[in-house]
Amino acid sequence: MSHSIFYPYLPIIFLIGLCWGSFLKLCIDRIPKNKSIILPSSECFSCNKPLRFYHNIPIISWIILKRRCSYCNVIIPYSYPLTELIVACLISLLFNTFSYLPIIIIYTIFFSLLVIGSGIDLKEFWIPDTVSIGGIFLGLVFSYFFPILHSTTDNLDGLLSSIIGFISGSAILILIAYLAKIILHKNGMGMGDVKLLGAIGAFTGWKGVIFSIFFGSLVALLISLILFFLRKKSLRDQVPFGPYLSFACIIYILSKSQILNIFTDSLFLY
């Protein structure tokens, strides 16, 4: 089994990823409140007291403090260490999958946007424009300067693939939302999801859009059914679709298997 040239450095990369995950969790908490993600430094979400550096060591501090703030004793949710762990794993997978550093950096930026958007969507049921529209803009720019994102060496071809992905992604979800409103007489899709899929298309092209919709919808359906049978959710409950689109997109990018081409070929879309 072959590995990326960064394979020997994965333990260090994983530790850096944990720290980056801690920062992204801060973004998830502060962006919906319109608070700066720079200042003040990390503080307790309950008592707002500044955290010392030894209170803020990813995962380790959470374990040592027994899941509680050392000041007010409030329970620190599992979402904090879980976000740190997920981000560390994603960044490690990127370094283990790709060998071209600029592409790794680009996808790290994109994955970071997806994590922030998913985290906020799960809590607040909306996706900030800094994630979706920012993702569209970055996808178009990166696709021009690094057309290898779309398996080409021509800058204009890369930009064209990005534009097609952006337009197709947004148009498909707008159509689904329109049909849902006609048939179900209610909003079936938020504009945040529409813009997010546009950003996914800008980075992955139309194939990534198709895969993200199908696979993301399948995972969303399975999890919704599981929660329904466990009596945790009702079928009428609102489902944040952004995290499922993001998950499917990440799978698409990380997988180098031909199964993705087989998937699109089977739909007669290639």
Side-chain angles (χ1 to χ4, degrees), residues 110-123:
F110 184 41
F111 281 15
S112 297
L113 291 177
L114 294 179
V115 168
I116 293 172
S118 297
I120 294 176
D121 200 14
L122 285 170
K123 290 176 58 179

PDB file of all heavy atoms in Angstrom, residues 110-123:
ATOM      1  N   PHE A 110     -10.851  24.495   2.438  1.00  0.00           N
ATOM      2  CA  PHE A 110     -12.218  24.133   2.068  1.00  0.00           C
ATOM      3  C   PHE A 110     -12.880  23.265   3.138  1.00  0.00           C
ATOM      4  O   PHE A 110     -14.027  23.498   3.539  1.00  0.00           O
ATOM      5  CB  PHE A 110     -12.209  23.401   0.727  1.00  0.00           C
ATOM      6  CG  PHE A 110     -13.577  23.064   0.201  1.00  0.00           C
ATOM      7  CD1 PHE A 110     -14.621  23.972   0.301  1.00  0.00           C
ATOM      8  CD2 PHE A 110     -13.823  21.834  -0.394  1.00  0.00           C
ATOM      9  CE1 PHE A 110     -15.898  23.667  -0.184  1.00  0.00           C
ATOM     10  CE2 PHE A 110     -15.086  21.523  -0.872  1.00  0.00           C
ATOM     11  CZ  PHE A 110     -16.124  22.437  -0.774  1.00  0.00           C
ATOM     12  N   PHE A 111     -12.144  22.254   3.623  1.00  0.00           N
ATOM     13  CA  PHE A 111     -12.686  21.396   4.686  1.00  0.00           C
ATOM     14  C   PHE A 111     -12.995  22.204   5.947  1.00  0.00           C
ATOM     15  O   PHE A 111     -13.969  21.932   6.641  1.00  0.00           O
ATOM     16  CB  PHE A 111     -11.693  20.282   5.024  1.00  0.00           C
ATOM     17  CG  PHE A 111     -11.696  19.137   4.034  1.00  0.00           C
ATOM     18  CD1 PHE A 111     -12.304  19.269   2.798  1.00  0.00           C
ATOM     19  CD2 PHE A 111     -11.089  17.933   4.339  1.00  0.00           C
ATOM     20  CE1 PHE A 111     -12.297  18.216   1.875  1.00  0.00           C
ATOM     21  CE2 PHE A 111     -11.088  16.880   3.440  1.00  0.00           C
ATOM     22  CZ  PHE A 111     -11.690  17.019   2.210  1.00  0.00           C
ATOM     23  N   SER A 112     -12.160  23.207   6.213  1.00  0.00           N
ATOM     24  CA  SER A 112     -12.396  24.053   7.386  1.00  0.00           C
ATOM     25  C   SER A 112     -13.716  24.810   7.244  1.00  0.00           C
ATOM     26  O   SER A 112     -14.493  24.922   8.207  1.00  0.00           O
ATOM     27  CB  SER A 112     -11.241  25.043   7.568  1.00  0.00           C
ATOM     28  OG  SER A 112     -10.022  24.367   7.822  1.00  0.00           O
ATOM     29  N   LEU A 113     -13.988  25.316   6.048  1.00  0.00           N
ATOM     30  CA  LEU A 113     -15.255  25.993   5.795  1.00  0.00           C
ATOM     31  C   LEU A 113     -16.430  25.032   5.971  1.00  0.00           C
ATOM     32  O   LEU A 113     -17.464  25.390   6.546  1.00  0.00           O
ATOM     33  CB  LEU A 113     -15.266  26.586   4.387  1.00  0.00           C
ATOM     34  CG  LEU A 113     -14.326  27.771   4.116  1.00  0.00           C
ATOM     35  CD1 LEU A 113     -14.406  28.183   2.658  1.00  0.00           C
ATOM     36  CD2 LEU A 113     -14.673  28.951   5.020  1.00  0.00           C
ATOM     37  N   LEU A 114     -16.263  23.803   5.475  1.00  0.00           N
ATOM     38  CA  LEU A 114     -17.330  22.810   5.591  1.00  0.00           C
ATOM     39  C   LEU A 114     -17.597  22.441   7.047  1.00  0.00           C
ATOM     40  O   LEU A 114     -18.754  22.263   7.457  1.00  0.00           O
ATOM     41  CB  LEU A 114     -16.967  21.551   4.794  1.00  0.00           C
ATOM     42  CG  LEU A 114     -16.888  21.700   3.272  1.00  0.00           C
ATOM     43  CD1 LEU A 114     -16.497  20.367   2.632  1.00  0.00           C
ATOM     44  CD2 LEU A 114     -18.207  22.193   2.695  1.00  0.00           C
ATOM     45  N   VAL A 115     -16.535  22.332   7.836  1.00  0.00           N
ATOM     46  CA  VAL A 115     -16.697  22.008   9.262  1.00  0.00           C
ATOM     47  C   VAL A 115     -17.422  23.140   9.985  1.00  0.00           C
ATOM     48  O   VAL A 115     -18.346  22.897  10.775  1.00  0.00           O
ATOM     49  CB  VAL A 115     -15.323  21.732   9.920  1.00  0.00           C
ATOM     50  CG1 VAL A 115     -15.445  21.694  11.444  1.00  0.00           C
ATOM     51  CG2 VAL A 115     -14.745  20.416   9.410  1.00  0.00           C
ATOM     52  N   ILE A 116     -17.015  24.384   9.714  1.00  0.00           N
ATOM     53  CA  ILE A 116     -17.675  25.530  10.354  1.00  0.00           C
ATOM     54  C   ILE A 116     -19.149  25.592   9.955  1.00  0.00           C
ATOM     55  O   ILE A 116     -20.040  25.745  10.794  1.00  0.00           O
ATOM     56  CB  ILE A 116     -16.965  26.838   9.974  1.00  0.00           C
ATOM     57  CG1 ILE A 116     -15.555  26.878  10.571  1.00  0.00           C
ATOM     58  CG2 ILE A 116     -17.780  28.051  10.453  1.00  0.00           C
ATOM     59  CD1 ILE A 116     -14.718  28.048  10.091  1.00  0.00           C
ATOM     60  N   GLY A 117     -19.407  25.462   8.654  1.00  0.00           N
ATOM     61  CA  GLY A 117     -20.782  25.509   8.175  1.00  0.00           C
ATOM     62  C   GLY A 117     -21.638  24.397   8.756  1.00  0.00           C
ATOM     63  O   GLY A 117     -22.783  24.624   9.162  1.00  0.00           O
ATOM     64  N   SER A 118     -21.082  23.183   8.835  1.00  0.00           N
ATOM     65  CA  SER A 118     -21.822  22.046   9.376  1.00  0.00           C
ATOM     66  C   SER A 118     -22.098  22.229  10.859  1.00  0.00           C
ATOM     67  O   SER A 118     -23.204  21.942  11.342  1.00  0.00           O
ATOM     68  CB  SER A 118     -21.031  20.746   9.145  1.00  0.00           C
ATOM     69  OG  SER A 118     -20.872  20.486   7.777  1.00  0.00           O
ATOM     70  N   GLY A 119     -21.097  22.701  11.589  1.00  0.00           N
ATOM     71  CA  GLY A 119     -21.263  22.904  13.024  1.00  0.00           C
ATOM     72  C   GLY A 119     -22.343  23.923  13.338  1.00  0.00           C
ATOM     73  O   GLY A 119     -23.166  23.726  14.240  1.00  0.00           O
ATOM     74  N   ILE A 120     -22.360  25.015  12.570  1.00  0.00           N
ATOM     75  CA  ILE A 120     -23.374  26.050  12.789  1.00  0.00           C
ATOM     76  C   ILE A 120     -24.753  25.557  12.338  1.00  0.00           C
ATOM     77  O   ILE A 120     -25.763  25.812  12.996  1.00  0.00           O
ATOM     78  CB  ILE A 120     -22.982  27.342  12.048  1.00  0.00           C
ATOM     79  CG1 ILE A 120     -21.710  27.937  12.680  1.00  0.00           C
ATOM     80  CG2 ILE A 120     -24.116  28.369  12.087  1.00  0.00           C
ATOM     81  CD1 ILE A 120     -21.172  29.154  11.963  1.00  0.00           C
ATOM     82  N   ASP A 121     -24.796  24.837  11.232  1.00  0.00           N
ATOM     83  CA  ASP A 121     -26.067  24.314  10.727  1.00  0.00           C
ATOM     84  C   ASP A 121     -26.704  23.344  11.720  1.00  0.00           C
ATOM     85  O   ASP A 121     -27.927  23.336  11.918  1.00  0.00           O
ATOM     86  CB  ASP A 121     -25.842  23.623   9.381  1.00  0.00           C
ATOM     87  CG  ASP A 121     -27.131  23.495   8.573  1.00  0.00           C
ATOM     88  OD1 ASP A 121     -28.118  24.161   8.923  1.00  0.00           O
ATOM     89  OD2 ASP A 121     -27.147  22.729   7.593  1.00  0.00           O
ATOM     90  N   LEU A 122     -25.894  22.519  12.361  1.00  0.00           N
ATOM     91  CA  LEU A 122     -26.410  21.566  13.341  1.00  0.00           C
ATOM     92  C   LEU A 122     -27.003  22.271  14.563  1.00  0.00           C
ATOM     93  O   LEU A 122     -27.974  21.796  15.152  1.00  0.00           O
ATOM     94  CB  LEU A 122     -25.291  20.615  13.785  1.00  0.00           C
ATOM     95  CG  LEU A 122     -24.886  19.523  12.797  1.00  0.00           C
ATOM     96  CD1 LEU A 122     -23.618  18.822  13.259  1.00  0.00           C
ATOM     97  CD2 LEU A 122     -26.019  18.513  12.628  1.00  0.00           C
ATOM     98  N   LYS A 123     -26.411  23.408  14.926  1.00  0.00           N
ATOM     99  CA  LYS A 123     -26.867  24.135  16.112  1.00  0.00           C
ATOM    100  C   LYS A 123     -27.956  25.144  15.798  1.00  0.00           C
ATOM    101  O   LYS A 123     -28.934  25.263  16.540  1.00  0.00           O
ATOM    102  CB  LYS A 123     -25.682  24.877  16.757  1.00  0.00           C
ATOM    103  CG  LYS A 123     -24.655  23.990  17.416  1.00  0.00           C
ATOM    104  CD  LYS A 123     -23.482  24.813  17.940  1.00  0.00           C
ATOM    105  CE  LYS A 123     -23.908  25.858  18.928  1.00  0.00           C
ATOM    106  NZ  LYS A 123     -22.772  26.650  19.459  1.00  0.00           N
TER     107      LYS A 123
END
